[in-house]
Amino acid sequence: MKSSVLLLSLLFALPAFGAEPSKPALLVTIVVDQYSADVFTEYRPMYRQGLAQLASGVVFPRGHQSHAATETCPGHSTVLTGAWPARNGIIANDWMDPSLPRKNKGRDTYTIYCVEKPGPAGSDASKQMISPDSLRVPTLGDRMKAADSGARVVAVAGKDRSAVLLGGHTADLTLWWSYAGFITYPDQTSRIPASVNGRVNDAFKASYEKGAKVDLPPQCASRSRTSKLTDDFSVGTLQAVKSESRRWRATPALDALTVDAALASLDVLQLGQRGTTDLLAISLAGTDYAGHYYGTEGAEMCAQQVALDAAIGRLLAEIRKRKISFAVVLTADHGGVDVTERNRDRGVNAQRMDTALLPQNMNQALARELNLQDRLLLGSDEFTSDVYVPAELPAERRALVLNAARRMYLNHPQVAAVFTKNELIGAERPTGMVDEWTLLERAKASFDPQRSGDLIVLLKPYVNVYHPPRNPETDYVTTHGSPWNYDRRVPIMFWWPGVQGFEQPTPVQTVDIAPTLATLIGLKIPADEIDGKALELMAR
């Protein structure tokens, strides 16, 4: 508690902009992966450091990722482009191109990762190159560099897709964590600061090889309760993480090292210290991994929130220590839902998804009904909303297959809605209050006729596509990606030194962030190129 009070004293004692910010030398964007408005509200009274500071600024607790496909790629794509996935092209974490078969471990694959540069038909998909090419619009950083060639843009994240979609096409440095440490595009490895290649990556390797034990913070004691998922696996109480385990990503170490890499990059590139306005974008992935491995409740998430608060507090304190004038915004790429079993214990009508809904199983049922031997449907091995008809299917059969598939999905008790490509092409652009959009409008915001499925299948609330883990070291226990508000609602907070904070409970969107930051630095973005609008940051 003493250290928390000391940190806050340091933060608020340093020079301030004043109530109305002058043009900052540095814009800082923080995206917390899988940070729902529900999690923010639950843990807000517990925050004492960085998140407490940001929550003293201009707070929009009812921010929204407007679209239906609430995944990492679409969510990150909206934050600094001001564009819905329907405009920016990042409709999902993965989509399919039925006309582009490639090979992956000897099997045909049509899947395209949101930040890969896909090779030609027949190429090896396992050798994908990470690239921003699929992002069809400029980011705020791209626009800043176009307006001022001296501006610098850095994106640092716990995932490659997060860094790429925040950094955009022209970033000076795009860093993401991998099991080899923090890396970048193969042709830009010389840009990685020596301190990242050395001190930061060495610290990761030492932590990963040793494993981790997360101590239960005293304020989390009441949340330490066991919830059994299988006879062999439970969540709800902190357990030590083995050495070289994928679960290492759900410990505080990942976010702490991401902050280290961001600060090292800030120093090497002298962000905010050269007479220009620069951009530092950071995505913290630990909350997402904690949610996937343990759920959004329990001791694991509580400990993660305490650690996240400290990591953000350290980031902000270090920036202020460098006497940089800066403004910061924090939001999330999507929300999340708790594990099915704990939700059921608390009275929620939660279900695990019927595996009959997986495209490969639906394909078999459809072939039996229609007495056809062709491959009739394509989709992810794990359920996603996009379902495709193979390119080789004769035109006269496509309508038959689509109509039958739609009927079969709609007849399933776990399915809320099914939309065809033609329905979504013809649908009006969403308008009005984002929290009152229909399912069709939510699906429209993340629909692209060239990339989206021939059918968009939306499940009912609290249907979890993941099942209890067969391998607890690798398998997730809960998910996100639905069109429901627990996945769409995210906090949005703006802060700068001296801000006169207020809370605005009306629903806003993450696509409003880029035009708001642009207004703050005097950068004009044509209104017809984005879907968001600048938010009012001054109380009148």
Side-chain angles (χ1 to χ4, degrees):
M1 180 62 74
K2 289 182 179 178
S3 62
S4 299
V5 171
L6 182 61
L7 176 59
L8 282 175
S9 298
L10 173 64
L11 289 170
F12 290 106
L14 291 171
F17 284 162
E20 185 168 358
S22 58
K23 182 178 178 180
L26 178 65
L27 296 177
V28 180
T29 299
I30 304 170
V31 179
V32 179
D33 203 315
Q34 199 181 143
Y35 189 47
S36 69
D38 296 331
V39 169
F40 168 68
T41 299
E42 178 178 351
Y43 288 98
R44 189 174 182 179
M46 192 180 293
Y47 298 140
R48 295 291 181 271
Q49 301 186 52
L51 286 165
Q53 180 182 351
L54 297 181
S56 72
V58 181
V59 179
F60 299 88
R62 294 175 65 197
H64 285 76
Q65 289 285 1
S66 320
H67 48 273
T70 48
E71 296 182 310
T72 303
C73 293
H76 278 85
S77 77
T78 68
V79 175
L80 289 179
T81 64
W84 296 330
R87 183 191 294 264
N88 69 44
I90 307 299
I91 60 148
N93 283 352
D94 307 274
W95 55 85
M96 287 190 166
D97 183 346
S99 67
L100 183 67
R102 296 175 293 158
K103 295 292 183 181
N104 191 354
K105 299 179 180 178
R107 296 174 56 194
D108 283 344
T109 182
Y110 302 87
T111 300
I112 296 174
Y113 181 41
C114 69
V115 291
E116 74 164 292
K117 190 180 186 71
S123 63
D124 186 350
S126 67
K127 296 180 180 178
Q128 64 187 21
M129 298 290 290
I130 299 300
S131 164
D133 285 5
S134 289
L135 183 64
R136 289 175 169 157
V137 300
T139 61
L140 178 64
D142 293 330
R143 294 180 186 275
M144 290 168 62
K145 290 180 71 66
D148 180 356
S149 60
R152 290 179 179 173
V153 175
V154 172
V156 183
K159 299 178 182 178
D160 53 13
R161 51 190 180 268
S162 308
V164 171
L165 294 170
L166 292 175
H169 303 273
T170 59
D172 298 273
L173 178 64
T174 306
L175 279 179
W176 60 85
W177 177 84
S178 75
Y179 286 107
F182 284 92
I183 61 174
T184 189
Y185 305 112
D187 61 344
Q188 297 182 14
T189 55
S190 62
R191 299 185 185 182
I192 301 177
S195 53
V196 173
N197 262 336
R199 174 177 55 83
V200 177
N201 284 345
D202 288 348
F204 153 66
K205 291 169 187 174
S207 175
Y208 183 59
E209 290 170 2
K210 180 181 178 182
K213 182 181 183 301
V214 181
D215 294 326
L216 181 69
Q219 59 268 50
C220 296
S222 64
R223 290 173 168 83
S224 184
R225 300 177 183 176
T226 299
S227 293
K228 181 178 284 191
L229 274 59
T230 69
D231 290 340
D232 302 319
F233 183 74
S234 298
V235 297
T237 57
L238 288 172
Q239 301 173 18
V241 175
K242 300 176 187 176
S243 62
E244 299 185 343
S245 165
R246 291 172 68 88
R247 286 177 175 259
W248 177 91
R249 301 174 299 178
T251 69
L254 178 56
D255 287 350
L257 288 166
T258 304
V259 168
D260 289 343
L263 289 170
S265 303
L266 180 149
D267 287 338
V268 170
L269 275 78
Q270 296 184 301
L271 300 183
Q273 303 170 64
R274 299 167 302 99
T276 64
T277 297
D278 300 323
L279 173 66
L280 174 63
I282 304 165
S283 177
L284 302 173
T287 298
D288 184 65
Y289 291 121
H292 279 307
Y293 280 122
Y294 308 111
T296 58
E297 299 292 333
E300 301 95 346
M301 182 56 76
C302 185
Q304 167 59 23
Q305 290 305 299
V306 172
L308 175 70
D309 184 32
I312 293 173
R314 181 165 63 88
L315 170 71
L316 300 180
E318 287 294 328
I319 294 174
R320 293 196 69 170
K321 200 181 292 184
R322 289 156 175 78
K323 302 188 184 306
I324 299 171
S325 66
F326 72 105
V328 58
V329 62
L330 181 143
T331 190
D333 56 346
H334 53 74
V337 65
D338 198 23
V339 292
T340 300
E341 291 73 15
R342 189 159 47 205
N343 265 332
R344 285 176 182 162
D345 290 343
R346 296 176 177 181
V348 178
N349 182 23
Q351 304 172 50
R352 297 281 180 180
M353 188 192 73
D354 182 355
T355 56
L357 290 169
L358 292 172
Q360 58 269 37
N361 294 334
M362 187 63 73
N363 184 83
Q364 293 175 9
L366 193 61
R368 287 194 299 269
E369 177 176 309
L370 299 179
N371 195 27
L372 295 173
Q373 300 303 313
D374 303 304
R375 180 170 51 183
L376 306 177
L377 298 176
L378 293 172
S380 169
D381 290 341
E382 296 175 350
F383 181 87
T384 60
S385 61
D386 291 279
V387 179
Y388 300 79
V389 175
E392 69 271 15
L393 197 69
E396 64 272 14
R397 288 187 176 173
R398 292 183 69 87
L400 174 68
V401 168
L402 282 171
N403 288 335
R406 183 181 188 186
R407 172 177 47 77
M408 291 179 71
Y409 277 115
L410 282 173
N411 284 341
H412 195 284
Q414 292 183 334
V415 173
V418 181
F419 302 115
T420 66
K421 178 174 285 191
N422 286 339
E423 282 180 294
L424 286 162
I425 289 173
E428 294 293 327
R429 183 181 185 275
T431 57
M433 299 291 274
V434 64
D435 58 340
E436 296 180 1
W437 286 4
T438 65
L439 288 181
L440 179 64
E441 290 174 314
R442 298 175 195 194
K444 176 74 172 182
S446 51
F447 173 78
D448 178 279
Q450 292 180 303
R451 293 176 177 175
S452 297
D454 295 291
L455 293 175
I456 305 298
V457 181
L458 304 179
L459 300 180
K460 289 182 177 178
Y462 298 101
V463 176
N464 187 350
V465 304
Y466 291 121
H467 289 75
R470 296 178 181 176
N471 182 349
E473 284 298 304
T474 59
D475 296 349
Y476 290 162
V477 301
T478 192
T479 190
H480 49 79
S482 82
W484 306 107
N485 281 341
Y486 52 74
D487 279 342
R488 295 174 76 228
R489 282 197 313 261
V490 295
I492 299 175
M493 294 179 274
F494 294 87
W495 185 91
W496 58 88
V499 63
Q500 291 184 355
F502 64 92
E503 191 144 333
Q504 175 54 274
T506 58
V508 297
Q509 304 180 54
T510 55
V511 293
D512 297 330
I513 291 172
T516 303
L517 294 178
T519 298
L520 200 61
I521 61 174
L523 178 67
K524 296 187 181 300
I525 300 179
D528 62 350
E529 294 183 7
I530 56 175
D531 299 301
K533 65 180 188 305
L535 299 172
E536 178 61 65
L537 299 185
M538 298 300 299
R540 297 182 184 274

